[in-house]
Amino acid sequence: MTRFRARYDNGDIPARVAHCGVNGIAWRVDPGALDARAYLPLFISGISETQHPYRLLAVRGAEDLIKSCGERAMLEALPRLILPMKEALNTGDARVLAVAFDLLYTMTTTYAAVGEALVPYHRQLLPVFRAYKDVDTIFVSLVNLCDAKCWSETRPKSKPKTTRDGAAEARFSRGAPCTTNLERTAPPSPPPRNDEAIGYGRSKRTIGSLVRRTLRALERSGGPDALASIQYMVPSYASAVPRIDAQ
């Protein structure tokens, strides 16, 4: 049980699920008025949860706190976020990893100074990035956080067959077991049926694409030492920042 779940069960979390729409939460207080050093690590600890409503409250709450706390408060809270973020990354659960990568991306793109402040923590956070940077067969959706689903898709190299009506047959397996250790803690959920597919079309993302997007954000905002630090931990990473040749 995470600290977030224990505190929520005790009634200590100043937010609840908003039933007026999907993925909504309602705060009892302005999140910008909360002490980010105390509450943001608590919400980050909750992103390891995969059950409703803990997952929804932790993820949306962390996003709201990040965007409303301000850069100074964010930098003050940052050292306290590393341990719960590392714990989330080390779960090996695709549903948790996707949220962790997305929140790190949000931090670095919301506040310019966060990327550079994260450089000393690359050795603690980036080993997981190295492991999953090129995993493009595991899909997640961050649209509907209530169901916490992930699934696999493996497309064959052979040309798809054509049915009698001339339509190409989609030949790929969905919901197949993963060959990596990504799903040791939780097997992938079955692929959504057509009537459940809201948020699983254009919104689906591979774990690898989320890793690469976050690494690019860390490089762009991380200052002069970011690229060397990232490539030390993720040797296969190629710089996304154009170089200007000296005249």
Side-chain angles (χ1 to χ4, degrees), residues 17-86:
V17 176
H19 297 287
C20 57
V22 179
N23 288 336
I25 69 172
W27 291 89
R28 295 198 297 268
V29 297
D30 179 4
L34 295 172
D35 183 357
R37 293 173 299 177
Y39 279 94
L40 196 48
L42 183 62
F43 276 81
I44 294 296
S45 75
I47 69 174
S48 295
E49 296 285 350
T50 57
Q51 294 183 0
H52 185 70
Y54 309 107
R55 173 180 167 88
L56 171 61
L57 287 165
V59 176
R60 287 292 177 252
E63 290 176 348
D64 289 349
L65 285 169
I66 290 169
K67 294 175 181 178
S68 62
C69 70
E71 186 172 75
R72 180 176 178 180
M74 183 74 236
L75 291 173
E76 291 175 350
L78 197 61
R80 302 185 182 188
L81 305 182
I82 302 305
L83 180 58
M85 183 63 73
K86 182 179 178 181

Side-chain angles (χ1 to χ4, degrees), residues 2 7 43 105 116 131 136 147 161 165 167 190 197 202 238:
T2 63
R7 294 285 295 274
F43 276 81
Y105 175 81
E116 192 164 0
D136 288 322
D147 55 17
K161 293 182 179 179
D165 59 0
R202 289 176 298 176

